[in-house]
Each structure stands twice: as C-alpha cells, then as structure tokens.
Amino acid sequence: MKGRATGVIIMAALALMLTACTVVDLDANGNPIMPKDPHAKPGYTNQTPQQIAEESWQSRVAQPAEKQALSWGDMETKSHTLKAGTSESVFVRAGGTVTALDSSNDRERVLTVTVNGKPVKVLIGPVLRSNAIRDAAGFRFEEFTNQVQYAQLTKALNRHAVKQLPTVDSSWQGKPVQMLLAVTMGPGTVDEVVAIQLQQGNG
C-alpha cells in the first residue's frame, strides 16, 4: 500500500507540474511561437502590404493629410530648417495652374503645375517611384517584419493613391487645379511631389 501511495503522490506531482506549464506551439522551423506581449504596439506582421495600405489609408493618410497639410509656402519655409543631409516628408495642400502633362513614359506621368509662380513637377503615376506618402503618413520600419515588407508597403500605398486620382489628360493644361500632396523636402529643396488628390477648379 505504501508503494501505491507513493506512486499516487508522484503522479499528482507530475500532474501539477504539467498544469503549471504552458504548451507552446512550434513554427515551421521547430522554434517556439511566443504569445504576443499584451503591451506591445500593434504591428502588421500578419497582413499583406496591400491590406495594410487599404485598411490604414483613411486613418494614416487621408485624414491626417486633410487636417495637417501645410500650405506650399509653409512647406518651403520648413524645408529651410532641415539640417544638411536630412530629408522630411509632409502633406501639403496647394493650388495652381497646370502648364504641362508629360506622358512620354506612360507608366510614370508627370504633371507640371505653376504654384506661387514656380513650376512644380507632380508625380501622378500609375507607377510612383517615391517614399513620400509612406513617410509623410508616419509609417516606421519598426512596425514591420523586415525591410522587404516595408518596401512593399511603399508600392501598395502608391498604387492605392493612384486609384483615388481622376483621369488626367491634355485637357487639364491651362486649367486651375487644387492638390493634396505628399512632398519630400531636403534643406531648402523640394525633392519629390506625389499627388494624393487632384481636383480641377479653384476649389
């Protein structure tokens, strides 16, 4: 009886030890998948770049652009405060007159708009080679799994931006236009200007 009692005690102890342990799933490489930290910042590890772009467009691009956009003049003033070798992307609201549409590369069309008496080249796609929207929206590398996902987000945001734009053709030349833009500026320079919204007329 004594041996049997000892066995029961050992089994009970083992049961307690097992219930105290948390069973952890393993990934494809056999490494433990740790539960998410409840205090961790939300990330995008389980979403495709396209999903991120579509689901966050209103909250991280459209609404901030509407509320926080600088005027073209204020953006130029801000650019002069940047240190050498640095750049910054911001949302800008500007109006002007369309003077040219460059469709020589039908994948990377450029609209030239006179803003405050100066010609400004505005990228309208359909292919946009710029990080301006991503950076103006405040997306940071730390939110993503790796550099590849971060880079793919740029393309997804740019594609989504192009979908919001009206059809632009030669009939726009000479017409007034109101624009909501993502602008990358350097110290005293305007490096990239990407269209987020375009509307004919004086607004």
Side-chain angles (χ1 to χ4, degrees), residues 46-59:
N46 296 321
Q47 292 178 286
T48 66
Q50 193 64 37
Q51 288 173 329
I52 297 167
E54 291 175 359
E55 292 176 16
S56 63
W57 182 262
Q58 284 299 316
S59 62

Side-chain angles (χ1 to χ4, degrees), residues 17-34:
M17 287 173 66
L18 285 171
T19 54
C21 294
T22 301
V23 178
V24 177
D25 292 328
L26 302 180
D27 64 16
N29 297 318
N31 298 314
I33 301 172
M34 302 308 293

Side-chain angles (χ1 to χ4, degrees), residues 50-162:
Q50 193 64 37
Q51 288 173 329
I52 297 167
E54 291 175 359
E55 292 176 16
S56 63
W57 182 262
Q58 284 299 316
S59 62
R60 297 196 66 165
V61 179
Q63 292 172 6
E66 289 283 355
K67 294 176 182 178
Q68 302 165 13
L70 302 175
S71 69
W72 188 265
D74 287 344
M75 179 274 297
E76 287 186 312
T77 299
K78 184 178 177 68
S79 74
H80 290 285
T81 67
L82 298 181
K83 294 180 181 179
T86 66
S87 65
E88 184 177 342
S89 296
V90 294
F91 293 121
V92 176
R93 187 182 299 281
T97 301
V98 176
T99 56
L101 171 61
D102 182 357
S103 298
S104 57
N105 182 340
D106 61 1
R107 299 289 294 163
E108 299 177 29
R109 296 179 306 147
V110 179
L111 199 64
T112 301
V113 182
T114 300
V115 179
N116 294 353
K118 300 176 183 177
V120 176
K121 294 189 178 300
V122 181
L123 308 181
I124 60 173
V127 175
L128 303 172
R129 298 186 187 280
S130 171
N131 296 329
I133 296 175
R134 182 195 72 189
D135 294 346
F139 287 99
R140 295 291 175 260
F141 175 68
E142 293 76 19
E143 299 176 82
F144 300 90
T145 305
N146 52 44
Q147 185 65 42
V148 173
Q149 190 190 35
Y150 191 47
Q152 288 176 340
L153 174 67
T154 298
K155 294 180 180 179
L157 286 169
N158 290 350
R159 284 194 299 268
H160 197 75
V162 170

